[in-house]
Amino acid sequence: TFSGSDTGIGHALAKHLDSLGFVVFAGVLDKDGPGAAELQRSCSQRLCVLQLDITNTSQVREAYLTVSQKVQNAGLWGVVNNAGILGFPADGELLPMSTYRHCMEVNFFGAVEVSKTFLPLLRKSQGRLVNMSSMAGGIPLPRYAAYGASKAALSMFSGVMRQELSKWGIKVMAIHPSGFRTGIEGTAEQWDRQEKELMENLPADTRQAYGEEYLLGLRDYLLHLPSHCAPDLSPVLGSVLHALLARRPQGLYTPGKGAYAPLCIFCCFPLWFYDFF
């Protein structure tokens, strides 16, 4: 079962596992949207598209009941918490509280609720729980205070659950990819709305401290963000597949260029050196 299968990693994973013969339950934010339609068109009859807004408790429960009826006593082998939002990348002082709350609601609380709801099915099969965190969830990165904090919470949740659920044979993994082009960057319309909210909530002294030129540069940073992201998702897909299928999966995966080295520097060197780096 995947959440966030409308686009990006979840969409690609659902297609790939379906092609390998797995029974896939693809949770989508919009069952009538283009992502869901593409999955139904290109995948086999085994694949089941689920309406799954992970911030909607009733939809999470309905998805669980649908999956339970289909798998019955066999249990469910894997749950991949992939759904996530980026928010507007800006300095932590500039971000409105609504961005912090929205990131936590989707990236952390939604994933926790899906995990807790589906765990009885994973217990039956001694299956796998895979949480899609981020490089920003393992190391502090400027302009990602809201997103990084929510992903760091998800990573810590994964670590604790890995310890607690091991007595039932359930394996829990966190994925920390570096920058990949997944569609999480959002649309120009979403950027406009978030940028407007950010600017309208800035106190005059904060605006003056940062300067208009810097504030206008935030949009340029966002527009150029996709060019710094890798278009080939195969390293992430490979990590998720290993987490789901390997006899001894790793607790933490760091797919993509630049994901592992900064984590090592952060963990092994003094903080002043990491901040300088």
Side-chain angles (χ1 to χ4, degrees), residues 153-251:
L154 180 61
S155 294
M156 184 57 72
F157 173 74
S158 296
V160 173
M161 297 302 276
R162 184 181 67 249
Q163 296 169 347
E164 293 176 350
L165 298 176
S166 63
K167 59 185 167 221
W168 288 288
I170 300 172
K171 291 181 167 60
V172 183
M173 288 69 64
I175 315 284
H176 281 204
S178 60
F180 287 89
R181 212 173 296 168
T182 65
I184 197 175
E185 301 87 2
T187 65
E189 185 181 327
Q190 290 170 325
W191 297 341
D192 288 338
R193 186 173 64 250
Q194 291 180 56
E195 185 182 37
K196 184 182 178 185
E197 184 182 8
L198 184 150
M199 294 301 184
E200 286 177 349
N201 283 279
L202 277 185
D205 56 347
T206 306
R207 181 185 285 269
Q208 185 178 356
Y210 281 83
E212 293 298 324
E213 186 178 349
Y214 182 82
L215 295 173
L216 291 171
L218 292 174
R219 165 55 75 96
D220 291 334
Y221 172 80
L222 189 55
L223 290 173
H224 288 98
L225 192 59
S227 65
H228 298 294
C229 296
D232 180 17
L233 298 177
S234 57
V236 190
L237 302 189
S239 292
V240 178
L241 283 173
H242 191 274
L244 287 172
L245 304 178
R247 184 181 293 273
R248 291 185 177 85
Q250 303 166 27

